[in-house]
Amino acid sequence: METLMVDRIHSSLRLFMHRNAIFLCERLCAEFPSELNLQLLATCYLHNNQAYCAYHILKGTKLPQSRYLFAVSCFQMNLLSEAESALCPPNEPNSEVPNGAAGHYLLGLIYSYTGRRLAAVDHFMQALVVDPLFWAAYEELCILGSAEEANECFNDAAAIRVQQQYSAESSLQKLNLANDNGVLPSNLGDTSPRKSKQLYCNNTRDIPAHPYGMATSALQQGNSMPSSVAQYDTPSPTVTQLSGVVPPPLCRNAQIYLNAMGGEVTTRLNVNAANQVPRRKYVDEAKLRKVSGRLFSDSGPRRSTRLSGEATANTNLNVSQVGGNGVNHSSARFLGGYSTSSSSKMSSAAQRSVTVRKGQTLSTENFDEGRRHEVFDDLLRLDNTATTSSAASNVADGRWPAQDRSGGILAQDSRLMDGIRDLLGLLRTLGEAFRLSCLYRCQDALQVYSKLSEKQFNTGWVLSQVGKAHFELVDHFESDRYFELARRLSPYTLEGMDIYSTVLYHLKEEMKLSYLAQELISVDRLSPQAWCAVGNCYALQKDHETALKTFQRAVHLDPRFAYAHTLCGHEYVALEDFENGIKSYQSALQVDERHYNSWYGLGVLYLRQEKFEFAEHHFRRALHINPRSSVLMCYLGMALHALKRNGDALEMMVQAISADRKNPLPMYQKAQILLSLERYEEALEELEHLIAFAPRESSVYALMGNIYKQLNIHDKAMFYFGLALDLKPPAADVAMIKSAMEKLYLPDELEGDL
Amino acid sequence: MATESEGEEETAAAGVGGKLTGSPQLAVDGGDLREMAKKAAWSVSSCKPGNGVVALRDDNLDTYWQSDGAQPHLVNIQFQRKLKLQLVVLYVDFKLDESYTPSKISVRAGDSFHNLKEIKTVELVKPVGWVHISLSGTDPRETFIHTFMLQLAILSNHLNGRDTHVRQIKIFGPRPNPVPRQPFHFTSREFITYSTLR
């Protein structure tokens, strides 16, 4: 009965029928209390977004997989210290972090949220070492500013590591594409009649198949190694021990095995256990760390989906990897609900279910195999849920054409290697580009992005990143263009849309901005990006109070979204509420120390409050993070000028001018500084240049008027003041200019009178 | 000789302004002006319980302040620092308030109570809606007044009523330059794009 229940639970999870799964699982735990079952129950709860339930049932458990699940629940409930101590118990400093790469990643996140940057970096690096295909860890490293070059992380050594994890001699990679093949699982699950065959299990405790092919080796039985290496199901040698009870499955397995081998599986049922002996080797894989096979599945047709989007998915997936318990149940496995491929239900041999490769032609066949395989398997109490083992794993886009079975294990291996190399190549490009854009070396990043293949480039994520890079280069038109493309391709994506709303704010496109805001709200009313867009709309209309309220709402929705805090800060400053502005900017910096906009915001705030040293300090910090920004250099120069360090200020302005030729502001500021130094001729020269750049800028003429006034060249002063007025500056400026003009008359009048 | 209004109360012509009748819309250029008195201290010379000074600032045109004493009725607005002000707008409604509607209003400015000088007087004729009282002088240099305190004195009401109703008052002044420490605002797109980060 236990196996039966477990199987049903897994299949419910796979089909997202959470209530069913939870109910059955609760009955299971009541009937057969064991830690494995508890893990399965926690998994069900986590799938159903009930982290608090999982938290309570797993509190105090010691097995690695349980600790991992407990940590995930704590993390989701924002109980970071408990999550940390679950993953890394303070009394056992040497205990291994459960679930390898995923555990390290989770720890890294916890450390970065609690401000322990170095430890976070360390763990993310470890996660990458364990699993070189773990993009999310690399992404976090980039965000923290400590990523090594992508070439280092996604290089050949990494390829070899990945291969080791996957190759179990000719094991197939089973990339479980359960996700992809939504169909598979169901079929598998459903069609297998549940016979109670069972049993068997006692001999072999196979490690249940893993969703992503992390099938644990069947032989493991009880070992704690969860190997989640993708495996396939090779019937274990113990198969021979199998009683005649399930001979068919064996065949199936074999079949699958053969399929997996890439051989044509045509002879079904001929396989005999003997064939399987070599397969058993994969059992050793169990010792290898699990790799998230899912990544593989991501490659292939899924590549086009945004890799970053996978990040969370990855975590889920990883979680599903078999917990180190070695125990069979991997409730975790199903965490993702991704159907795992294998349910190893194999009786005895049960090794993991195969994840049949989704070869093109083979798929159906495999499917069937798998299915039938399932049938018998499931009875085994191997905690495998009958997932679809058939999930075909699709290795990197069909790199494994089904047809190709040369029957060679070698052939498999080389295909595997190719697949790995290709995936690593892709990750390398994306990683390098992302790293460069986090370092604000935007031109370089754009170059790297342009190296991507067209199909990869034309995806929401990449286009958003390109848009972001253009935004950082203050090229708002291009940025708008790319973001628009991104939205057309994936209108449901929210990431990066806050930047897009800022771009539209700069471009003063009210219509587009309000349209964007409305669309984002309709996609997800609870996302901070949507509310940032709405707030930018109000800010564009100068309704700072409403904008502030909206940004505060974004902050409430996600306090870890740094940009929302920064925008709140900007609005406070616009409302002249400097205290709260400082608080907001500082909150933003607590979330993300490399958010240079907040450093800039603080600098501007202090400039207004006339605390010039503070202003200088903050601008320098901002410039340290983004050393190419001409706007930052210009502001730093303004702060230096206010501190009367005019030499330094002028130097800064020159730097700013050369950093971005299109930025007129440094020239203007330089003219102002020269004016204050009474170097009138040079100031006028700068301003003359400026007129070429921006012929309709009233302040340029006004300043020139001022200079001529100082030089007592009244007719020119009048001329320029007149030009300035013609360009319709706001009333305050009009008042000033006109009063300056009046003063010009005075000396003449006096002379006239005399 | 025209004097700069810097630091001094404007002593511009304090004659009777044109007759104002109010308009249903609040015609204020939001780009140029903003409401200045949110953090100011508001007080009135007298009020009826339930219709106090709060009603003047609650953005609700149904609630009103009702005075309860001798004329002139005074509304005092004290700012935390010297501010540039350009426009006073009040909402009154002859149709609803009839004899409570103000008819002659004097605007005074200064450093504090002992220092106030009248800067403008206006007469209202059966006003319905927002009444805009500009504080500018004739001279373009006198667009703003620069002051610590403003006082609106209601000297008389329509139909010789004793007490007065005012439904809302707003004070407007210029927006500060978004770029700090600049003598002039930027007007062209090239400048504005590069002038701030967000």
Side-chain angles (χ1 to χ4, degrees):
Chain A
M1 173 169 151
E2 192 172 354
T3 324
L4 179 57
M5 289 179 93
V6 170
D7 171 65
R8 294 318 296 148
I9 291 166
H10 281 305
S11 89
S12 300
L13 280 180
R14 223 185 316 127
L15 297 174
F16 304 100
M17 297 292 126
H18 299 135
R19 282 179 65 86
N20 192 33
I22 289 177
F23 181 79
L24 286 177
C25 210
E26 287 178 346
R27 299 303 107 213
L28 173 70
C29 290
E31 190 74 27
F32 304 103
S34 81
E35 190 150 338
L36 275 187
N37 289 344
L38 221 47
Q39 285 175 5
L40 181 56
L41 179 55
T43 311
C44 296
Y45 282 133
L46 283 171
H47 271 295
N48 199 27
N49 289 324
Q50 286 177 291
Y52 43 92
C53 298
Y55 173 83
H56 280 286
I57 62 171
L58 286 178
K59 200 160 184 142
T61 50
K62 293 279 181 270
L63 291 177
Q65 178 65 358
S66 311
R67 279 176 22 223
Y68 182 80
L69 290 174
F70 181 62
V72 171
S73 335
C74 292
F75 188 77
Q76 288 186 6
M77 290 168 66
N78 213 13
L79 298 170
L80 297 180
S81 55
E82 292 197 47
E84 184 187 343
S85 57
L87 286 172
C88 211
N91 308 329
E92 306 156 37
N94 296 327
S95 67
E96 199 178 299
V97 173
N99 271 336
H104 280 295
Y105 175 74
L106 194 54
L107 259 182
L109 280 182
I110 294 173
Y111 285 133
S112 75
Y113 287 165
T114 49
R116 284 168 286 176
R117 204 177 144 270
L118 290 176
V121 168
D122 180 50
H123 279 280
F124 288 131
M125 300 285 292
Q126 284 193 49
L128 270 180
V129 162
V130 169
D131 175 9
L133 296 171
F134 201 157
W135 166 264
Y138 189 72
E139 195 181 12
E140 290 294 327
L141 281 174
C142 290
I143 292 175
L144 288 174
S146 325
E148 304 174 326
E149 284 194 39
N151 285 330
E152 303 283 316
C153 294
F154 298 118
N155 59 10
D156 286 339
I160 297 185
R161 279 204 296 275
V162 174
Q163 184 187 35
Q164 279 169 352
Q165 291 166 355
Y166 273 86
S167 55
E169 300 174 7
S170 40
S171 28
L172 271 187
Q173 236 87 0
K174 77 189 191 133
L175 293 179
N176 186 356
L177 283 188
N179 322 331
D180 281 311
N181 313 335
V183 190
L184 274 178
S186 28
N187 289 350
L188 287 180
D190 304 340
T191 50
S192 31
R194 293 310 135 175
K195 305 195 203 138
S196 35
K197 279 194 205 167
Q198 56 330 77
L199 323 252
Y200 222 6
C201 21
N202 296 328
N203 305 352
T204 40
R205 257 259 144 181
D206 282 328
I207 297 176
H210 206 32
Y212 300 55
M214 303 277 180
T216 39
S217 54
L219 295 191
Q220 284 296 23
Q221 259 113 70
N223 276 1
S224 25
M225 263 315 217
S227 23
S228 17
V229 177
Q231 311 293 25
Y232 344 57
D233 34 271
T234 36
S236 64
T238 52
V239 124
T240 43
Q241 299 163 6
L242 271 185
S243 59
V245 175
V246 281
L250 270 187
C251 295
R252 297 301 145 87
N253 286 343
Q255 180 76 356
I256 292 177
Y257 158 73
L258 278 185
N259 289 346
M261 290 289 278
E264 238 59 66
V265 192
T266 33
T267 43
R268 295 203 32 315
L269 306 187
N270 288 340
V271 177
N272 51 25
N275 286 355
Q276 290 139 13
V277 172
R279 291 239 98 267
R280 204 187 336 176
K281 301 244 190 91
Y282 82 69
V283 167
D284 295 321
E285 303 313 314
K287 307 225 169 74
L288 295 176
R289 309 293 292 295
K290 332 177 214 185
V291 170
S292 46
R294 183 168 205 252
L295 279 175
F296 263 66
S297 53
D298 291 348
S299 55
R302 298 229 349 310
R303 267 217 211 149
S304 49
T305 30
R306 315 191 350 334
L307 286 181
S308 61
E310 328 277 34
T312 21
N314 279 346
T315 347
N316 280 347
L317 284 179
N318 290 333
V319 169
S320 48
Q321 285 171 13
V322 173
N325 314 334
V327 179
N328 324 355
H329 240 256
S330 34
S331 17
R333 282 211 219 141
F334 296 94
L335 255 190
Y338 290 105
S339 38
T340 38
S341 39
S342 24
S343 16
S344 26
K345 299 242 169 204
M346 296 247 319
S347 30
S348 65
Q351 282 52 167
R352 313 316 55 215
S353 34
V354 203
T355 349
V356 169
R357 227 176 5 147
K358 185 169 72 165
Q360 291 46 342
T361 50
L362 237 338
S363 28
T364 7
E365 253 182 284
N366 291 342
F367 205 126
D368 293 342
E369 306 301 341
R371 197 165 346 139
R372 259 158 281 164
H373 167 83
E374 283 290 18
V375 172
F376 300 94
D377 277 358
D378 90 307
L379 307 181
L380 290 186
R381 191 264 188 255
L382 291 178
D383 350 25
N384 304 313
T385 21
T387 30
T388 49
S389 24
S390 26
S393 29
N394 202 349
V395 175
D397 354 277
R399 231 165 264 242
W400 304 65
Q403 336 27 335
D404 190 31
R405 310 327 178 109
S406 25
I409 290 182
L410 293 181
Q412 288 304 13
D413 270 357
S414 72
R415 274 202 290 274
L416 169 56
M417 215 32 201
D418 283 346
I420 296 175
R421 289 234 167 78
D422 284 345
L423 181 55
L424 280 175
L426 177 66
L427 289 183
R428 224 197 327 266
T429 315
L430 288 168
E432 187 61 18
F434 189 70
R435 184 182 75 92
L436 289 171
S437 64
C438 281
L439 292 176
Y440 299 105
R441 287 167 51 183
C442 298
Q443 286 293 1
D444 301 336
L446 285 174
Q447 262 182 10
V448 178
Y449 277 123
S450 64
K451 291 195 204 138
L452 282 174
S453 70
E454 201 173 310
K455 48 183 177 166
Q456 285 294 332
F457 189 81
N458 285 332
T459 54
W461 190 82
V462 175
L463 289 169
S464 295
Q465 293 297 319
V466 171
K468 226 170 137 206
H470 279 289
F471 166 70
E472 295 292 344
L473 291 171
V474 199
D475 185 354
H476 298 304
F477 285 110
E478 280 297 298
S479 181
D480 179 20
R481 194 167 74 87
Y482 280 104
F483 272 118
E484 228 180 317
L485 275 177
R487 279 204 68 69
R488 236 180 284 152
L489 285 173
S490 49
Y492 46 83
T493 313
L494 294 170
E495 194 180 309
M497 290 304 135
D498 47 325
I499 304 285
Y500 186 29
S501 71
T502 301
V503 170
L504 291 175
Y505 170 91
H506 276 291
L507 289 171
K508 304 217 184 299
E509 296 258 17
E510 280 190 41
M511 292 289 302
K512 268 178 151 180
L513 181 51
S514 67
Y515 183 62
L516 173 70
Q518 286 187 9
E519 290 212 300
L520 292 178
I521 295 275
S522 70
V523 166
D524 183 2
R525 283 188 80 245
L526 298 177
S527 69
Q529 291 91 346
W531 291 104
C532 285
V534 175
N536 269 333
C537 251
Y538 284 116
L540 187 55
Q541 292 162 8
K542 310 258 190 221
D543 182 354
H544 295 294
E545 268 140 26
T546 319
L548 178 61
K549 279 199 203 114
T550 325
F551 292 133
Q552 280 171 337
R553 188 181 293 193
V555 165
H556 280 141
L557 285 170
D558 183 2
R560 296 227 172 84
F561 189 63
Y563 199 39
H565 288 282
T566 309
L567 289 169
C568 273
H570 290 321
E571 295 308 311
Y572 276 124
V573 170
L575 291 171
E576 305 207 334
D577 180 351
F578 296 128
E579 240 183 77
N580 280 322
I582 293 180
K583 279 194 206 136
S584 291
Y585 287 130
Q586 286 177 343
S587 315
L589 288 173
Q590 263 187 333
V591 171
D592 179 5
E593 223 187 18
R594 295 193 81 244
H595 199 190
Y596 77 92
N597 310 56
S598 302
W599 288 109
Y600 160 84
L602 280 169
V604 169
L605 199 154
Y606 287 125
L607 255 192
R608 275 198 204 264
Q609 286 189 319
E610 314 215 335
K611 296 182 182 161
F612 301 124
E613 286 98 4
F614 283 16
E616 183 201 345
H617 168 79
H618 287 90
F619 287 131
R620 281 198 194 277
R621 287 299 296 261
L623 207 48
H624 179 70
I625 297 170
N626 181 356
R628 284 184 179 64
S629 164
S630 65
V631 179
L632 285 177
M633 291 183 209
C634 187
Y635 271 85
L636 178 54
M638 282 158 64
L640 290 168
H641 174 50
L643 285 169
K644 310 254 185 275
R645 284 156 52 184
N646 290 319
D648 295 336
L650 280 173
E651 242 182 72
M652 215 58 229
M653 292 306 173
V654 170
Q655 245 189 308
I657 294 174
S658 57
D660 184 353
R661 296 258 155 222
K662 291 188 286 172
N663 184 356
L665 236 53
M667 291 190 249
Y668 184 78
Q669 298 300 327
K670 189 172 169 204
Q672 277 194 306
I673 300 173
L674 290 169
L675 170 56
S676 75
L677 290 173
E678 299 190 357
R679 284 152 67 171
Y680 299 118
E681 301 302 328
E682 297 172 60
L684 281 173
E685 227 183 280
E686 283 297 323
L687 290 172
E688 300 272 348
H689 278 241
L690 257 188
I691 294 185
F693 254 96
R696 306 194 61 77
E697 176 53 52
S698 151
S699 57
V700 173
Y701 298 116
L703 195 59
M704 288 179 84
N706 262 349
I707 297 179
Y708 280 119
K709 189 166 136 216
Q710 296 272 39
L711 292 174
N712 280 322
I713 306 178
H714 294 302
D715 49 347
K716 284 218 161 163
M718 281 301 289
F719 173 64
Y720 283 109
F721 281 141
L723 277 180
L725 284 177
D726 283 342
L727 291 168
K728 309 242 185 296
D733 284 7
V734 171
M736 249 199 294
I737 296 174
K738 287 204 172 163
S739 72
M741 284 167 84
E742 295 268 322
K743 285 201 178 136
L744 281 180
Y745 279 126
L746 299 179
D748 293 349
E749 280 173 1
L750 281 178
E751 276 163 14
D753 287 345
L754 288 175
Chain B
M1 245 154 59
T3 47
E4 268 314 296
S5 60
E6 225 69 49
E8 292 172 274
E9 303 87 71
E10 192 57 81
T11 46
V16 175
K19 316 244 175 194
L20 303 175
T21 51
S23 67
Q25 307 301 336
L26 183 60
V28 169
D29 181 2
D32 254 354
L33 299 177
R34 66 179 173 114
E35 221 276 338
M36 307 287 289
K38 296 208 174 76
K39 295 213 197 113
W42 289 71
S43 57
V44 290
S45 57
S46 60
C47 73
K48 179 179 154 216
N51 295 89
V53 67
V54 172
L56 289 173
R57 301 292 293 164
D58 59 359
D59 274 324
N60 183 347
L61 301 177
D62 296 325
T63 58
Y64 52 79
W65 162 58
Q66 176 170 329
S67 65
D68 188 17
Q71 287 174 353
H73 307 298
L74 307 171
V75 181
N76 308 299
I77 306 143
Q78 290 168 286
F79 303 101
Q80 292 170 337
R81 52 181 207 276
K82 234 176 188 173
L83 290 183
K84 285 203 174 106
L85 304 172
Q86 189 173 343
L87 186 62
V88 174
V89 189
L90 25 99
Y91 190 92
V92 286
D93 192 338
F94 179 74
K95 296 212 179 76
L96 292 177
D97 297 324
E98 298 184 346
S99 65
Y100 284 93
T101 316
S103 116
K104 212 160 176 197
I105 303 183
S106 158
V107 182
R108 301 141 179 199
D111 293 333
S112 81
F113 288 98
H114 57 266
N115 211 351
L116 295 173
K117 270 189 148 163
E118 184 176 277
I119 52 175
K120 196 145 191 177
T121 312
V122 294
E123 207 171 303
L124 313 182
V125 178
K126 301 202 176 144
V128 175
W130 295 96
V131 173
H132 297 67
I133 305 176
S134 165
L135 301 173
S136 314
T138 46
D139 210 309
R141 290 175 293 152
E142 293 166 358
T143 328
F144 312 110
I145 60 165
H146 210 47
T147 180
F148 268 109
M149 176 170 173
L150 210 58
Q151 184 183 71
L152 303 179
I154 301 181
L155 307 175
S156 64
N157 294 316
H158 280 73
L159 309 174
N160 282 324
R162 183 185 82 138
D163 287 321
T164 187
H165 284 176
V166 179
R167 291 171 180 265
Q168 197 73 3
I169 302 183
K170 290 186 191 283
I171 319 271
F172 288 95
R175 285 193 181 275
N177 197 338
V179 187
R181 302 181 62 73
Q182 296 299 305
F184 302 107
H185 282 73
F186 296 139
T187 57
S188 70
R189 161 182 280 205
E190 298 87 348
F191 269 69
I192 293 178
T193 310
Y194 282 96
S195 63
T196 53
L197 284 181
R198 191 161 171 83

